[in-house]
Amino acid sequence: DAGVTQSPTHLIKTRGQQVTLRCSPISGHKSVSWYQQVLGQGPQFIFQYYEKEERGRGNFPDRFSARQFPNYSSELNVNALLLGDSALYLCASSFRWGSGNTIYFGEGSWLTVV
Amino acid sequence: SQQGEEDPQALSIQEGENATMNCSYKTSINNLQWYRQNSGRGLVHLILIRSNEREKHSGRLRVTLDTSKKSSSLLITASRAADTASYFCATDETSGSRLTFGEGTQLTVNP
């Protein structure tokens, strides 16, 4: 079975532009989360969705938004890109929402803002 | 905000030796998960240990959890060069599946 898949794997954007990152969870998983990992640091939680509803939001500005589709795939959008948005964006999925679920990560999307 | 703090930040050992990494956290947790990350890649799930468990094993991995000390350790026995990676602990202290990561331990296993 396929794991969590993300696209694109790498992209370069200019300051002020907008970016959309895509994620397909493991088949049967209904919860999707997004994390940002800046080089040399641990991942930071951005959003969590379950059954197409937002269930959690981290400490990120309103330039960051996300949504989950009926097939449980998800998109992360970042507007008005800043240099500091350069990072590895990781998508994760789990079968359910709630504590105690094993959370599986994709390979990530590397975003470079120049 | 960072919940877990891994110790040491970097660890270099020879193939065949054991590697121990520690994680401390600040608040009460529901469970703790360990992940491995090869350079520039995604996170690979290693073990989930619940707050009412004290020890779990998976192959060459052994994880312990001491909730009274708010700490966990990951032991890799008989290390291999392929174990070279960053290792992260992540805590789940909310009702949702929201993980808080430490900054990781960079393990280098020399052949």
Side-chain angles (χ1 to χ4, degrees):
Chain A
D1 285 343
V4 179
T5 57
Q6 294 187 241
S7 65
T9 54
H10 295 81
L11 69 166
I12 300 174
K13 291 286 189 177
T14 305
R15 275 178 300 176
Q17 285 189 316
Q18 176 263 344
V19 67
T20 298
L21 307 177
R22 295 176 177 83
C23 171
S24 293
I26 292 171
S27 178
H29 284 195
K30 299 179 180 179
S31 178
V32 170
S33 300
W34 288 94
Y35 290 78
Q36 181 197 64
Q37 186 178 22
V38 174
L39 201 61
Q41 297 183 16
Q44 297 267 336
F45 172 78
I46 309 175
F47 284 111
Q48 182 186 34
Y49 279 79
Y50 178 69
E51 292 281 17
K52 303 178 288 294
E53 290 188 6
E54 183 183 302
R55 293 300 185 106
R57 174 185 286 252
N59 189 22
F60 281 81
D62 291 343
R63 299 184 296 108
F64 289 76
S65 63
R67 55 180 174 168
Q68 187 177 33
F69 299 99
N71 65 354
Y72 303 110
S73 67
S74 178
E75 286 182 351
L76 175 70
N77 295 285
V78 186
N79 294 322
L81 285 167
L82 303 174
L83 295 179
D85 295 331
S86 295
L88 177 66
Y89 288 85
L90 294 160
C91 177
S93 77
S94 60
F95 179 64
R96 290 187 305 263
W97 177 78
S99 183
N101 291 286
T102 298
I103 297 171
Y104 300 92
F105 284 80
E107 289 292 326
S109 293
W110 276 105
L111 171 65
T112 301
V113 182
V114 297
Chain B
S1 63
Q2 299 292 96
Q3 158 78 315
E5 291 184 6
E6 285 90 345
D7 169 52
Q9 288 187 318
L11 178 62
S12 182
I13 60 174
Q14 296 299 122
E15 222 170 12
E17 293 181 338
N18 295 342
T20 300
M21 288 158 273
N22 302 298
C23 168
S24 60
Y25 56 91
K26 298 183 179 71
T27 63
S28 295
I29 62 171
N30 297 313
N31 61 73
L32 185 147
Q33 306 192 45
W34 283 91
Y35 289 87
R36 184 186 75 230
Q37 185 177 40
N38 290 85
S39 181
R41 306 291 300 275
L43 297 169
V44 175
H45 185 266
L46 298 176
I47 286 183
L48 180 153
I49 185 165
R50 303 183 193 283
S51 59
N52 61 353
E53 297 175 315
R54 292 296 168 258
E55 187 171 310
K56 284 190 84 169
H57 297 256
S58 176
R60 294 184 296 112
L61 306 180
R62 171 178 170 252
V63 167
T64 63
L65 179 63
D66 187 336
T67 53
S68 66
K69 294 182 179 177
K70 292 187 170 57
S71 67
S72 175
S73 68
L74 170 66
L75 168 67
I76 304 174
T77 60
S79 63
R80 306 166 182 168
D83 294 328
T84 294
S86 292
Y87 291 81
F88 293 91
C89 69
T91 55
D92 173 359
E93 73 261 16
T94 66
S95 58
S97 308
R98 170 176 175 164
L99 297 178
T100 304
F101 286 82
E103 301 212 343
T105 292
Q106 172 61 50
L107 173 66
T108 302
V109 181
N110 301 298

